Each structure stands twice: as C-alpha cells, then as structure tokens.
Amino acid sequence: SQNCVTTKLVLSYRYYISYVRKTRDDPPQNSGAYVFRPNEATIDHSLVYAYLKGALIYEGSAVIQIYLDFGQAINCTLRLYKSQPDNIELETFINSIPVGNREGKEVVLEVRSDIGNNDIFYTDSNGLHMEKRKLNFREDWDLEITQPVAGNYYPITSAIYIEDAERRLTILNDRAQGGASLSPGQIEIMIHRRTLADDAKGVEEPLNELDLDGKSGLRQRVRHYLTFGKKATADGTQRRIQNEIDQPLVVFISNSTNETNKNISFVGQKSFSEPEPLLKVFMKPWNASHILYRVQNLASSPRDVPIEQSLGQERTLSGNSLMSEMMAAKLRWVDFNGTSCENANGTTIRPLEIKTYLLELNAKSD
C-alpha cells in the first residue's frame, strides 16, 4: 500500500527457451545477441525459473529489507526506505544461467497486479516521452501475430508502466532492457540471457560470455524501482526516481594530505538556487573561463532555469553556436495541429525540454 492506494503484487522469475534452428526446413532466425525469439515450447508463455524457498525481514530505523531466497539461481532483496515511502527498491542477483541441457535461456522479472490495463502499457522513448503500446497491435498496419511474446517487446531505457482509471504501477530500471505487458495487470522485463547459437546479425558468435572461471556464464546484479499509487501524482514520482537513478550521489576519496579550497563563482552571479528534483542538471568544463550548463525539465509543466539570464546566452544542445543564430537559419514548420514548433523563449523550459547555456566563471583560490 502506497499513498493510500492498495495494489496486490506478485513477484516471480521466469524464463523463455531460446529458439535454435535444427533442420533445414526450420525457420532460419535464431535467438541471439540482437534477436529475442523463444522456441516452440515457450513461444507464447514463460516457464518458472526459480521457486521461492524462504524469506527474511529486517527492519531498522531507516529501511526495511526483505530477503527472498530462490536457491542458487537467484537472490532478491526488497528495500523500503522510510524516507521514500512511494517506491520499493528491488535488487536481483542472477547466478550463471545453466545450459547443461544445451538450451539457451532468457530470464525475465515478472510482476503481476490487480490493475486492469486493458492490454495497454507505456514505455519510455530514450528516457523522455512515454509511448503508448497496445498488445498485438500497430497503428500503421494490420499486425499478423507470429511471435506473441517477442512481437510485443519494446526497449525500456528508463520506465514501463500500466494503469487503470485511478492507479498506476511503474517499474524503473538501472540499464536498458526489453519488456512488455502480455496479460492484464502484468509487467515483465528481461534481466539476463544466455543463448547457444549465433543470430547471424553481425557478431558471429552466440550470446554466451563466460565468467572468470572460463566455465560458468556471466552473473548479473540488477536494480529496479517499483512505484504504485494514484494515477494523478504518478508522473512526478516516476521522474524524481528517474533523476535519482541517472544522477546518483558520487563519493570521492583521496589520500592526499594537501588541503585545497577553491571557490568558483559565475560572473555577475547573485544567487544560484538549488535545482528542484524534477530539473536534471549537467555541467562540464568548456574552456578555462566557461562552463557548459545543460538543464532538462522532467516535470509535466513548464519550469524556470535556476540561473540568472545575465549569466550567459542560450546555446544549441551541443553548445557550439548561439540558439538565436540557429533558430534564425532554421526551416519553419508546423505540427499536425497547425502549431509552429518554436523554441521556448527566455529561461522557461517546457516539459521534457533541454536547454543549454555557456556560463562565464571566475575561479579564486583562498
């Protein structure tokens, strides 16, 4: 239960058997590094990869940890931080995938809920807009279903969610993966793969990397973040967690005995406000006297850039030229609604928009 909303969740780990062509009459496309294709036995459903054997619960002042033991195949840890009650951190350790029976396996994390999503789910487009997906459907043509599972998989670089009239279940990932919603209330995400045949897409080898012992397949440790609650407030929660995943706190440790105190200030700066959680800020040195400052609005409403306009002129995304010069030379075009697609003026950032500035600075050592 989160945000006064209750949702039933069932967590499991399942797998598909990788397709391998065995005879000349069989379809030629193997499952491999670039292609996900289950074999005939799992073409429309997955199998149980590991059964839950036990659980331990530890509660501290800051976090509640739940350890789920799936035997040697998988270990899972759920973390509920008391300072962030709107999400659950799910860490999964997947041991080497066994292939002793000469069958490749493709392991998925599956979450089932009581949300009635009517075959509709959403996946992100490179971390920005959430694209609507419909099971076994394409808007541009009549889809002929030959791969009920693989044909409904989409890339997930940030998040996937399902929703009904009032509730939403979102899963955010820590790396690019594939996923889908194949039945009501269900989300699955591919978390590990090991195949034994080349898919003939260029690498000329199966997806069968070995660990340091030269015998076992690779092991994986992945994190996902589950959030569920009211549909009306879900966007803000998703984007905040996304920003925290993309820009984690970084700790630097040095064994130097020298103490250096360098104060850096922007020319003409009176105040430099702390960015709000839904503004994603990126800064890097440009030259000896300037810093490239890029800010992205992850909110669903316009925001103001947290710098003074006098600190620098807006640049193109790469920073190589002035935005005003680029816009003056740009072809004018309109969208389907007849609206001119212009860059927002001043320091206002539209939802999911990115703005770049080149800021002049002074550096003084005390």
Side-chain angles (χ1 to χ4, degrees), residues 150-332:
N152 285 292
Y153 258 61
Y154 291 90
I156 305 169
T157 55
S158 174
I160 178 174
Y161 71 75
I162 56 175
E163 63 184 12
D164 56 21
E166 298 180 354
R167 302 171 300 167
R168 179 183 296 180
L169 168 64
T170 305
I171 302 180
L172 296 100
N173 53 2
D174 67 345
R175 68 200 68 187
Q177 296 166 321
S181 175
L182 302 175
S183 60
Q186 183 257 17
I187 294 177
E188 68 176 55
I189 298 178
M190 185 77 66
I191 59 174
H192 200 8
R193 307 174 68 216
R194 189 179 182 186
T195 67
L196 302 179
D198 177 37
D199 59 8
K201 295 297 182 181
V203 296
E204 298 183 354
E205 62 180 80
L207 190 63
N208 189 24
E209 297 179 75
L210 301 181
D211 215 330
L212 295 177
D213 60 8
K215 299 177 182 179
S216 305
L218 290 181
R219 299 164 175 87
Q220 293 281 358
R221 187 178 298 276
V222 298
R223 280 191 175 94
H224 295 89
Y225 299 81
L226 283 67
T227 176
F228 54 90
K230 295 179 180 179
K231 178 179 175 180
T233 59
D235 283 340
T237 302
Q238 174 189 328
R239 296 302 183 178
R240 176 182 58 78
I241 298 172
Q242 176 186 340
N243 200 13
E244 292 171 356
I245 296 172
D246 292 344
Q247 300 187 127
L249 292 176
V250 180
V251 178
F252 295 91
I253 301 175
S254 172
N255 59 4
S256 174
T257 58
N258 297 326
E259 294 185 5
T260 302
N261 180 20
K262 177 172 286 190
N263 295 325
I264 296 179
S265 62
F266 296 105
V267 173
Q269 177 183 0
K270 296 181 179 178
S271 64
F272 190 88
S273 60
E274 180 71 18
E276 58 181 288
L278 295 180
L279 284 181
K280 183 176 180 180
V281 174
F282 171 80
M283 300 173 68
K284 75 172 184 179
W286 186 255
N287 53 35
S289 60
H290 291 82
I291 280 182
L292 188 72
Y293 179 89
R294 187 177 292 127
V295 58
Q296 177 183 0
N297 180 16
L298 294 175
S300 56
S301 59
R303 292 291 190 271
D304 291 328
V305 179
I307 61 172
E308 295 182 20
Q309 180 71 13
S310 61
L311 297 184
Q313 292 179 296
E314 184 181 356
R315 315 284 291 193
T316 58
L317 189 60
S318 63
N320 291 324
S321 60
L322 290 171
M323 176 62 74
S324 57
E325 295 176 350
M326 188 275 288
M327 293 302 295
K330 185 178 180 180
L331 176 67
R332 299 287 187 253

Side-chain angles (χ1 to χ4, degrees), residues 11 63-68 76-80 88-91 226:
L11 171 69
V63 63
I64 300 173
Q65 292 201 140
I66 304 174
Y67 296 92
L68 302 180
C76 169
T77 303
L78 297 172
R79 297 186 181 94
L80 291 78
I88 301 172
E89 179 184 310
L90 168 61
E91 181 177 329
L226 283 67

